[in-house]
Amino acid sequence: MPWVPRIGQKPGPLLQDYARQIETEHVVVAELDGEIAGILVLSLTHEGFLLDNVAVSPAHQGCGVGRALLVYAEEQARAQGFSAIHLYTHEGMAENLVLYAKLGYVEFDRRFEFGLRRVYMRKVLAPAD
């Protein structure tokens, strides 16, 4: 896990209770050729529609799985009447910050939560066609 040495601890998604999330949140599992390729966790919070987690198996990175999951998340936000979607990532995950910015997310807050330094980003969604 390359993130642990960089941020000094396990990232937030590795600390989640996924059994609970499956029961209480919108969880999507992406599958390719009979293998789990990625996951997506969506939540509704007091701040709006949260893309709580998106992860792609290293074996399937670069195949478009992550992009498809992000598009799905945006579609779900629009379908539920939201005009924006937000997410957070650790401030030490520079690659994530660059990727999300390229996809139209803009930083709106930095918080220290659960021992993690998080950068919150929001994307305003274009209306559905």
Side-chain angles (χ1 to χ4, degrees):
M1 171 68 48
W3 301 118
V4 174
R6 187 182 307 177
I7 67 174
Q9 65 190 89
K10 290 181 180 179
L14 294 180
L15 305 174
Q16 296 292 332
D17 177 352
Y18 283 97
R20 182 184 161 287
Q21 282 196 312
I22 289 168
E23 290 177 6
T24 62
E25 308 300 341
H26 183 137
V27 178
V28 175
V29 176
E31 188 178 324
L32 276 178
D33 300 324
E35 295 180 8
I36 294 175
I39 65 153
L40 176 72
V41 179
L42 304 173
S43 302
L44 298 180
T45 73
H46 71 282
E47 291 183 278
F49 197 92
L50 173 66
L51 192 168
D52 192 25
N53 188 9
V54 60
V56 177
S57 160
H60 295 94
Q61 290 177 356
C63 299
V65 174
R67 175 86 50 172
L69 289 169
L70 291 171
V71 167
Y72 176 84
E74 292 177 15
E75 290 170 350
Q76 290 300 302
R78 274 191 212 90
Q80 293 186 40
F82 290 90
S83 60
I85 186 170
H86 70 284
L87 57 78
Y88 56 84
T89 190
H90 193 280
E91 69 179 17
M93 297 179 174
E95 298 90 334
N96 289 358
L97 295 169
V98 169
L99 171 66
Y100 294 134
K102 284 182 182 178
L103 295 174
Y105 287 82
V106 176
E107 181 178 334
F108 71 91
D109 201 7
R110 287 186 181 238
R111 302 176 191 165
F112 186 72
E113 300 173 315
F114 310 106
L116 301 164
R117 297 191 181 282
R118 293 178 170 167
V119 177
Y120 277 75
M121 303 178 83
R122 180 178 291 119
K123 180 177 182 178
V124 174
L125 301 173
D129 296 331

